[in-house]
Amino acid sequence: MGGTFDPIHLGHLVTAEQARVDLGLDEVLFIPAGQPWQKDGTTPAEHRYVMTVLATAANPAFRVSRAEIDRPGPTYTVETLRRLRARLPDAHLCFITGADAIRSILTWKDAEECLQLADFVAASRPGHDLGALEAEGFTDQVRVLDVPALAISSTDIRERFKADRSVSYLIPAEVEQYARKHGLYGTVGGLEADEPC
Ligand code: NAP
């Protein structure tokens, strides 16, 4: 499961669980993007990685990969999929991410190869225009997963933090505590949280 996870929220976790059950997956590997090359100003990768670990720690079928955050340079999904394919030559790989992200797949590096290396699963939030995916000819190559809980979005969570509005029950409590401790998303932060000890 690929994403920026800035921050990870319950919509991502519900998507992962729904994909695991509906597609009969053995496990879901969360892969926080290191340097998403099509966007600026994301939270440092290490913070996004730790929040993803905190959010998924209790589920034995969920794991988190450092592959993209440890790889220098811009993050390209094709490189991640090549690496996974080499390590797991017999596995059935599904790449799960948001439907909006998949709509731009033709702009990704080696898009055709990506689609050959894994089955793509597009998680769609309520009200999402699936017609756009169809019109762009993706529906043969991409499976759509309807996820009502994806009404939650990372953008909304960041805005809530900034405006000092509640994020309870939208993100795991551990993620909220971590974000506040480190002063992420405009929160005040623990004074000495990032000081070397
Ligand atoms: P994004 O543009 O931040 O997100 C697009 C939409 O998809 C947002 O609504 C987002 O909601 C949702 N979304 C993202 N990840 C999701 C997930 N795992 N489950 C459910 N919804 C999700 O997309 P992004 O996070 O940058 O990129 C998504 C994935 O595509 C990453 O793995 C990224 O590396 C990959 N990608 C690869 C290339 C390339 O190889 N060149 C280019 C672009 C993206 P939230 O904001 O709430 O998550």
Side-chain angles (χ1 to χ4, degrees):
M1 180 182 226
T4 307
F5 302 128
D6 192 15
I8 189 163
H9 54 67
L10 295 191
H12 297 129
L13 297 169
V14 171
T15 301
E17 181 64 4
Q18 192 172 322
R20 189 187 69 76
V21 172
D22 288 7
L23 307 175
L25 308 178
D26 293 326
E27 68 172 26
V28 179
L29 184 63
F30 289 71
I31 311 174
Q35 291 179 35
W37 67 288
Q38 289 172 327
K39 54 169 76 158
D40 299 320
T42 48
T43 303
E46 199 65 41
H47 284 314
R48 293 184 286 105
Y49 168 78
V50 175
M51 290 188 283
T52 308
V53 170
L54 288 170
T56 55
N59 189 327
F62 290 175
R63 281 202 295 155
V64 187
S65 167
R66 292 190 62 92
E68 293 191 351
I69 68 163
D70 285 344
R71 197 164 64 225
T75 299
Y76 296 118
T77 298
V78 70
E79 291 171 10
T80 308
L81 292 177
R82 281 181 195 143
R83 176 185 150 134
L84 279 172
R85 177 49 72 211
R87 291 183 64 173
L88 303 164
D90 300 322
H92 177 192
L93 296 180
C94 296
F95 186 80
I96 309 158
T97 194
D100 286 340
I102 286 184
R103 278 190 60 203
S104 68
I105 195 171
L106 294 181
T107 68
W108 295 13
K109 183 166 180 262
D110 300 327
E112 282 301 322
E113 190 183 342
C114 283
L115 289 164
Q116 282 160 13
L117 283 164
D119 288 347
F120 273 64
V121 179
S124 167
R125 41 175 52 106
H128 183 88
D129 179 15
L130 288 181
L133 266 180
E134 276 166 30
E136 288 158 30
F138 285 121
T139 35
D140 292 343
Q141 292 162 297
V142 174
R143 177 171 172 155
V144 176
L145 201 66
D146 264 316
V147 188
L150 265 186
I152 305 171
S153 80
S154 297
T155 306
D156 178 53
I157 303 289
R158 292 194 299 272
E159 284 168 1
R160 282 170 175 267
F161 269 123
K162 205 177 291 174
D164 205 18
R165 287 163 52 218
S166 172
V167 294
S168 293
Y169 312 115
L170 298 173
I171 61 174
E174 297 85 346
V175 172
E176 176 178 359
Q177 287 156 5
Y178 182 92
R180 292 192 187 284
K181 173 175 171 178
H182 292 275
L184 307 182
Y185 312 118
T187 57
V188 177
L191 278 181
E192 293 167 24
D194 284 329
E195 295 289 316
C197 328

